[in-house]
Amino acid sequence: HEKYLHSTPLMGGPDETKPDNNTKTRVELPTADSVDSGDDCFSARGDTIHKSRFGKLRPPFVNLGFPKIGSTSLHALFACAGYRSMHFRCKKDKKCSECIQESVNEGLPPFGKCDYAESYSQLDDGSWGHFPQVEYLQQIVNEFADNQGFPQNGTFLLLHRNMSKWYRSLTNWPPGNEPGSHMSDGLMLADITGFPAGRGRNEKEFSDWFCSHVKRVREAVDGHPSHSLVEINID
């Protein structure tokens, strides 16, 4: 990971104002020249970070994207760079989706009953169909930073992937499972906002859901000028 995370112009290190060029590494981010900077929901926007924020993006870093789109690699990336990172589980014995649900049920900010981390790389529980980044998107964007004692300047991440590759991954994960028992099958049985039970019969239905989520995330984060949204193409 040293190759990808070294003295970034966009991020401060875990515990310092400026990155340490000797120990920190850099997240390779899209540029306006390399991606479509328009409102294409299937490609990362390259103009979401103003130059005035280069070197000032601070934790917590929260991935609002979907499973099988680089969340494990993102987790490894931040952990390699020295950040306290969590993936899928936000407590030793609880999934992130579970502690977020408990927090909301008790009237707390979304991460109120989750353990502290500088990076949360996967909030949902995949095949089980619990997606707090969908159901509680606005609450996470509104309340996350305040809950953890940070100033209101959250950094949110949105990862993009070729839809055919994503669909192929969903329909073959976990590898070796019997037909009808892959992640895509579990999601078809779930009832997620914008993706009701029975949806997910083909690539287009998953692609439409992804596109709708991307637009919701952009709108939610854009409503908070102090927040930052970093979009990344993983292909």
Side-chain angles (χ1 to χ4, degrees):
H1 301 98
E2 193 78 20
K3 174 181 178 182
Y4 299 104
L5 290 166
H6 188 70
S7 68
T8 173
L10 296 182
M11 290 167 47
D15 298 308
E16 64 272 351
T17 301
K18 294 182 179 181
D20 180 345
N21 290 346
N22 294 320
T23 60
K24 303 307 165 195
T25 46
R26 180 183 63 177
V27 177
E28 288 290 341
L29 301 173
T31 65
D33 293 330
S34 63
V35 300
D36 181 3
S37 61
D39 191 32
D40 181 0
C41 56
F42 298 116
S43 183
R45 294 189 308 183
D47 58 355
T48 61
I49 306 299
H50 192 272
K51 290 183 179 180
S52 65
R53 294 189 180 177
F54 283 13
K56 298 179 182 178
L57 296 185
R58 305 292 296 161
F61 301 98
V62 185
N63 179 24
L64 297 175
F66 284 165
K68 309 308 298 175
I69 309 185
S71 62
T72 301
S73 297
L74 188 69
H75 169 62
L77 196 68
F78 278 109
C80 179
Y83 292 87
R84 176 176 170 79
S85 182
M86 291 185 179
H87 176 265
F88 190 74
R89 294 191 180 275
C90 288
K91 294 181 76 72
K92 184 177 181 180
D93 60 343
K94 287 183 187 271
K95 303 171 187 174
C96 297
S97 60
E98 292 175 327
C99 63
I100 291 175
Q101 184 65 64
E102 288 181 4
S103 301
V104 173
N105 288 346
E106 295 184 22
L108 298 172
F111 288 79
K113 297 185 73 69
C114 301
D115 286 347
Y116 166 75
E118 293 169 301
S119 166
Y120 296 92
S121 61
Q122 182 175 337
L123 303 184
D124 60 81
D125 61 3
S127 300
W128 295 101
H130 301 118
F131 279 66
Q133 70 269 40
V134 174
E135 308 298 347
Y136 306 119
L137 173 62
Q138 198 62 59
Q139 292 96 315
I140 290 172
V141 172
N142 288 348
E143 301 174 7
F144 182 85
D146 284 343
N147 177 50
Q148 299 295 356
F150 288 93
Q152 192 73 1
N153 61 348
T155 302
F156 298 97
L157 306 171
L158 188 58
L159 277 59
H160 295 254
R161 185 181 187 184
N162 174 275
M163 289 291 99
S164 294
K165 293 180 180 178
W166 184 45
Y167 182 67
R168 190 180 310 122
S169 182
L170 291 172
T171 54
N172 287 279
W173 182 265
N177 273 22
E178 294 292 326
S181 60
H182 293 102
M183 182 177 288
S184 57
D185 301 302
L187 292 174
M188 282 186 65
L189 298 175
D191 187 13
I192 307 168
T193 296
F195 200 71
R199 192 74 57 85
R201 295 164 294 185
N202 50 54
E203 180 182 329
K204 183 180 186 306
E205 291 186 349
F206 274 103
S207 298
D208 289 345
W209 180 39
F210 176 83
C211 183
S212 175
H213 180 63
V214 167
K215 291 179 178 179
R216 287 186 66 222
V217 168
R218 288 172 175 171
E219 182 178 0
V221 178
D222 285 349
H224 291 260
S226 59
H227 285 336
S228 296
L229 177 62
V230 180
E231 300 192 21
I232 304 172
N233 286 323
I234 70 167
D235 294 309

